[in-house]
Amino acid sequence: MKQNKVPKATLQRYPIYLKALRKLHHMGVERIMSRELGNFVDIESTTIRRDFSFIGSLGKQGYGYDVASLIEVFNGQLGVNFDEKLILVGAGNLGRALMNYNRWNHVVGEIVCAFDTDNDKIGTLSEVPVYHLRDLKQYLPKDCRIAILTVSGNAQETVDLLIEAGIVGIVNFTHEHIQAPKGVIIRTVDVVSTIQELIFQVNNF
Amino acid sequence: MKQNKVPKATLQRYPIYLKALRKLHHMGVERIMSRELGNFVDIESTTIRRDFSFIGSLGKQGYGYDVASLIEVFNGQLGVNFDEKLILVGAGNLGRALMNYNRWNHVVGEIVCAFDTDNDKIGTLSEVPVYHLRDLKQYLPKDCRIAILTVSGNAQETVDLLIEAGIVGIVNFTHEHIQAPKGVIIRTVDVVSTIQELIFQVNNF
DNA sequence: AAACATTTGTGATATGATGTACAAGGGTGA
DNA sequence: TCACCCTTGTACATCATATCACAAATGTTT
């Protein structure tokens, strides 16, 4: 990484680029220009070039970008190794749905194991072992940094446990607002809030 | 609404405020100051005050905000009527999970009906009728504006159909990139991208 | 009732993101 | 090999958003 100061807005667009590039690669596209990619993902070409420039000089003038090596760079340089170990905390309805919906295997990593506080949930679910949350430290993979949180209660308490165990990134599917110290990053995915925002925007057009 | 120019960034925070205010209300809190609310949701108090000011003068100087009436304003003025009619398009694994996970009933509205192209899916699922997508126009509720998209293929094609039928807001759970004309708002919810962004941030701290 | 202690709402300012314009330099074809 | 064309990468300008600082207004206390 060139610098250590990539704008937040740019960071949010990297996944979009990566997704698009994978699709293009799959379609057999070998090289692409910022303009084309811009049309594809609905982002100004100049914004794309600037975003890329934070990583380095990835393109060739008068030629464009090589799709394969661009994907390579995004994966490697940015740290998306396909085997990022993820844990799922909360094996309820949503948790199970996410496990079944394992489209992300070999794209961002895989769910190594799950945890729950309900004894009935302990066992194996969709080939993923489910342990009791009290055994978190015992079963948490060494290099696991990211947890997917789908518990239905005591969210904050659970978060505190996770952080203490070394988790530094949490994808929060909970409806609760949770807090974390600096250094731990939380991204909330909330259908309700998303729909609300949509309604606000629609009413505001 | 005071003006018709609420910043996008503000619009994205309204759901956060609303969620927090509901929780506070539930906890019995009757009044709150921007500073407190700021601590609660991790947003600068001054940002909160300005965000609120786009709607009107909601607070009292030297006193703060009345929680109940603030919720009232958000619901009414901003158009979150609890019975916003939603449709679900795609009754696969994820779609069904979302239907079961109907926490948003009476919070933003309810899923009135679902559509799918697979004949095996037609019928009733979790008390929600599932129709064939070809009958969209027939069964689409009159005042339905928002669709939740969970199809596993032909996303763009489906989107075009929805827009033609009058849908103006789409919550996109698809992995595909979809495009829409101006006036139609799309919000993508993608677990994979969320995790990727998290990894980028964690690696970048 | 008057003085005080608070907290809002908002101009002014600083920071961050996006868009414009173009120099630099590699690819392409004669 | 050389000249031309094209696209990148970035300085500069513009726009959007967040923060600061404070006057105005209200509740509270004496």
Side-chain angles (χ1 to χ4, degrees):
Chain A
M1 188 91 43
K2 223 170 162 188
Q3 295 200 358
N4 214 355
K5 212 57 209 144
V6 182
K8 260 171 60 177
T10 295
L11 235 33
Q12 291 181 351
R13 279 188 295 268
Y14 282 149
I16 299 173
Y17 299 142
L18 191 45
K19 193 198 293 190
L21 289 168
R22 285 224 184 89
K23 180 160 192 179
L24 289 164
H25 187 61
H26 192 74
M27 285 161 57
V29 178
E30 290 183 2
R31 74 182 230 195
I32 196 161
M33 291 161 302
S34 59
R35 179 92 66 87
E36 288 179 83
L37 185 57
N39 288 334
F40 197 67
V41 298
D42 250 320
I43 296 173
E44 280 292 323
S45 62
T46 175
T47 301
I48 293 178
R49 292 202 297 279
R50 187 192 310 286
D51 284 348
F52 286 5
S53 78
F54 288 110
I55 303 175
S57 289
L58 309 178
K60 287 181 197 147
Q61 285 155 335
Y63 174 89
Y65 300 87
D66 183 79
V67 175
S69 38
L70 211 48
I71 293 173
E72 203 69 25
V73 170
F74 269 84
N75 286 336
Q77 198 82 348
L78 288 172
V80 182
N81 45 349
F82 299 147
D83 51 0
E84 177 83 30
K85 286 177 177 43
L86 310 169
I87 60 166
L88 182 75
V89 182
N93 267 329
L94 181 61
R96 276 183 304 218
L98 286 175
M99 267 195 276
N100 289 327
Y101 189 62
N102 60 354
R103 286 276 214 108
W104 57 69
N105 271 2
H106 305 291
V107 177
V108 283
E110 62 170 333
I111 295 179
V112 175
C113 60
F115 296 90
D116 204 300
T117 49
D118 183 354
N119 283 318
D120 295 347
K121 304 267 175 57
I122 313 301
T124 300
L125 220 61
S126 310
E127 301 179 6
V128 174
V130 183
Y131 305 113
H132 196 284
L133 186 60
R134 83 168 78 85
D135 301 324
L136 176 66
K137 281 186 182 166
Q138 184 180 346
Y139 291 112
L140 182 71
K142 282 289 165 301
D143 46 357
C144 175
R145 304 177 296 167
I146 292 174
I148 302 170
L149 187 71
T150 58
V151 297
S152 53
N154 296 89
Q156 184 63 56
E157 203 177 302
T158 309
V159 166
D160 294 343
L161 271 175
L162 291 171
I163 292 170
E164 204 205 317
I167 292 292
V168 293
I170 295 174
V171 183
N172 174 31
F173 279 89
T174 293
H175 291 305
E176 294 179 48
H177 174 74
I178 55 182
Q179 292 183 299
K182 273 209 177 268
V184 177
I185 298 163
I186 293 180
R187 298 221 70 83
T188 296
V189 179
D190 183 343
V191 193
V192 171
S193 292
T194 304
I195 295 174
Q196 276 173 2
E197 197 192 327
L198 208 48
I199 295 175
F200 292 166
Q201 275 188 274
V202 167
N203 288 343
N204 221 245
F205 65 92
Chain B
M1 188 91 43
K2 223 170 162 187
Q3 294 199 357
N4 214 355
K5 211 60 208 137
V6 182
K8 261 172 57 177
T10 296
L11 236 34
Q12 291 182 351
R13 280 188 295 267
Y14 282 151
I16 298 173
Y17 300 141
L18 190 45
K19 193 196 293 189
L21 289 168
R22 285 224 185 89
K23 180 161 193 177
L24 289 163
H25 187 61
H26 192 75
M27 284 161 57
V29 178
E30 290 181 5
R31 75 183 230 196
I32 195 160
M33 292 160 301
S34 59
R35 179 91 68 87
E36 288 179 83
L37 185 57
N39 287 336
F40 197 68
V41 298
D42 251 318
I43 295 173
E44 281 293 322
S45 62
T46 174
T47 301
I48 293 178
R49 291 203 298 278
R50 187 179 300 283
D51 283 348
F52 285 4
S53 78
F54 289 110
I55 302 176
S57 288
L58 309 179
K60 287 184 196 142
Q61 286 156 332
Y63 174 90
Y65 300 86
D66 183 79
V67 175
S69 38
L70 211 47
I71 293 173
E72 203 69 25
V73 169
F74 269 84
N75 286 335
Q77 197 82 348
L78 288 172
V80 182
N81 45 349
F82 299 146
D83 52 0
E84 178 84 28
K85 286 177 176 40
L86 311 169
I87 60 166
L88 183 75
V89 182
N93 266 329
L94 181 60
R96 277 182 303 218
L98 287 174
M99 268 195 275
N100 288 328
Y101 190 61
N102 60 354
R103 285 276 215 108
W104 56 71
N105 272 2
H106 305 292
V107 177
V108 283
E110 61 170 334
I111 296 180
V112 175
C113 60
F115 296 91
D116 204 301
T117 50
D118 183 355
N119 283 319
D120 294 347
K121 304 265 174 58
I122 313 301
T124 300
L125 220 62
S126 310
E127 302 179 5
V128 175
V130 183
Y131 306 114
H132 197 284
L133 186 59
R134 83 168 77 86
D135 301 325
L136 177 65
K137 281 186 182 164
Q138 184 180 344
Y139 292 113
L140 182 71
K142 282 289 164 301
D143 46 356
C144 175
R145 305 176 296 168
I146 292 173
I148 301 170
L149 187 71
T150 58
V151 296
S152 52
N154 297 87
Q156 184 63 57
E157 202 177 304
T158 309
V159 166
D160 295 342
L161 271 175
L162 291 171
I163 292 170
E164 204 205 316
I167 292 291
V168 294
I170 296 174
V171 183
N172 174 32
F173 278 90
T174 293
H175 290 305
E176 295 180 46
H177 175 74
I178 56 182
Q179 291 182 300
K182 274 208 175 272
V184 178
I185 298 163
I186 292 179
R187 297 223 72 84
T188 296
V189 178
D190 182 341
V191 193
V192 171
S193 292
T194 305
I195 295 174
Q196 275 173 1
E197 197 192 325
L198 206 49
I199 295 174
F200 292 166
Q201 274 187 275
V202 167
N203 288 345
N204 222 245
F205 64 92

